[in-house]
Amino acid sequence: PSLIHSLFSAFPAELITAIILTMKLVLVSALAGVAAAFSPSANVVQKATSLNEFANGYVGGEGPEPIPLLRSNSVNFDPCGFAERAPEWLPWFREAELKHGRAAMLATVGFVMPEIFRVPGEQFSFEAVPQVINAHDALPDSMIQIFGWISFLEACSFGALANMNEYDRMPGDFGFDPLGLYPEDPAKQKEMQLKELKNGRLAMIAIGGMVAGAAVSGNGFPYLA
C-alpha cells in the first residue's frame, strides 16, 4: 500500500482521475470489441443478397458523419474505390482492419498503464525504464518473448483465414465468447460490430499520436511538451 500510495502521490489528483476514466472507457471499448470479434455470428454464411450491397453489406458505411473539405458525407465512403476494384479482397480488408483495430485498442491500454504501475522485477522498474517508449530498446529479451507470443497467436488464426473467401465465416469472427457478451438480436449484433469498428479506427489513430507525442516531448502520459 505504501508503494502504491507513493507512486500515485507523484501525480496530480486531476491527472490520476483522468487516467482512470480514460482507462475505463478504453477497457470497456476493447472488451466490447473482443466480444464482437470472437463471438459466433447468428448467420455465419453470408447471404447472396449481402454480396450485392456496398462492401458486402459490412458495417461501417452507414454514416452520415460530415467530412471536412468535401461536399459528401461518410455514407459508403470509399474514395479509392477498393470495394469496386477488388471485391474479392473485401473480407481480407475487413479482417486486416479489425485485427489492427483490436491491436491498437490493446496498445493504447498497454502504453498508458505502465505510466501508473509496473509488473514486478527490477528491470521493469521506473528507475530502469523511466519512459515507456524506451522499453523496446531497454528490454530486448522481453520483446523477443512478446514477439514469440504474437507469432503463436497469429499462427492459431491461419486455419480461419485460409478459407475466408469461401464466405463460411464473417471477417474477425472466431466463435469465441466465453462471457456471453455478444447479443443474439441481429440489430444489436450490428450495433456492437459498429462500435468495435469505430473504436478500433480511433485507437489506430490514437496510438500513433501517443507514440509520436512520447517520442517528441520525452514525457509520459499525457505526452505533452
Side-chain angles (χ1 to χ4, degrees):
S2 59
L3 177 60
I4 296 176
H5 177 74
S6 60
L7 174 61
F8 277 85
S9 63
F11 296 89
E14 295 80 2
L15 178 58
I16 295 298
T17 302
I19 291 175
I20 293 174
L21 290 175
T22 302
M23 290 304 99
K24 284 183 178 180
L25 291 174
V26 173
L27 286 171
V28 169
S29 300
L31 185 59
V34 170
F38 297 104
S39 303
S41 59
N43 186 9
V44 177
V45 181
Q46 289 185 322
K47 296 180 180 180
T49 54
S50 68
L51 301 182
N52 296 324
E53 298 176 2
F54 175 78
N56 290 357
Y58 297 151
V59 299
E62 294 83 354
E65 295 88 349
I67 301 177
L69 305 180
L70 295 179
R71 296 181 179 179
S72 61
N73 55 34
S74 61
V75 176
N76 296 340
F77 183 71
D78 184 21
C80 295
F82 290 121
E84 296 180 358
R85 291 189 294 149
E88 70 279 7
W89 283 95
L90 283 175
W92 293 93
F93 294 157
R94 177 48 56 90
E95 184 85 23
E97 182 177 23
L98 288 173
K99 180 178 290 187
H100 284 84
R102 293 166 188 165
M105 284 190 284
L106 293 173
T108 54
V109 178
F111 200 73
V112 174
M113 294 310 292
E115 301 280 3
I116 303 174
F117 65 88
R118 301 289 177 87
V119 297
E122 183 178 352
Q123 69 272 30
F124 307 119
S125 65
F126 287 93
E127 291 75 18
V129 187
Q131 302 296 333
V132 176
I133 196 171
N134 297 327
H136 181 278
D137 296 331
L139 303 168
D141 294 338
S142 299
M143 292 297 109
I144 293 175
Q145 294 183 42
I146 293 174
F147 181 78
W149 281 108
I150 291 174
S151 301
F152 172 75
L153 294 175
E154 190 74 13
C156 291
S157 67
F158 285 170
L161 298 177
N163 61 353
M164 182 182 299
N165 280 339
E166 300 300 325
Y167 301 107
D168 63 348
R169 64 179 285 270
M170 290 291 290
D173 184 359
F174 292 91
F176 181 73
D177 184 22
L179 299 179
L181 298 177
Y182 197 58
E184 297 182 0
D185 180 57
K188 294 294 184 181
Q189 290 179 357
K190 294 194 68 173
E191 182 181 350
M192 181 172 283
Q193 292 169 8
L194 186 60
K195 288 179 179 178
E196 177 193 23
L197 188 66
K198 288 188 173 183
N199 280 282
R201 290 170 176 173
L202 177 61
M204 285 188 281
I205 298 174
I207 189 62
M210 291 163 65
V211 172
V216 173
S217 69
N219 297 325
F221 185 83
Y223 318 113
L224 301 176

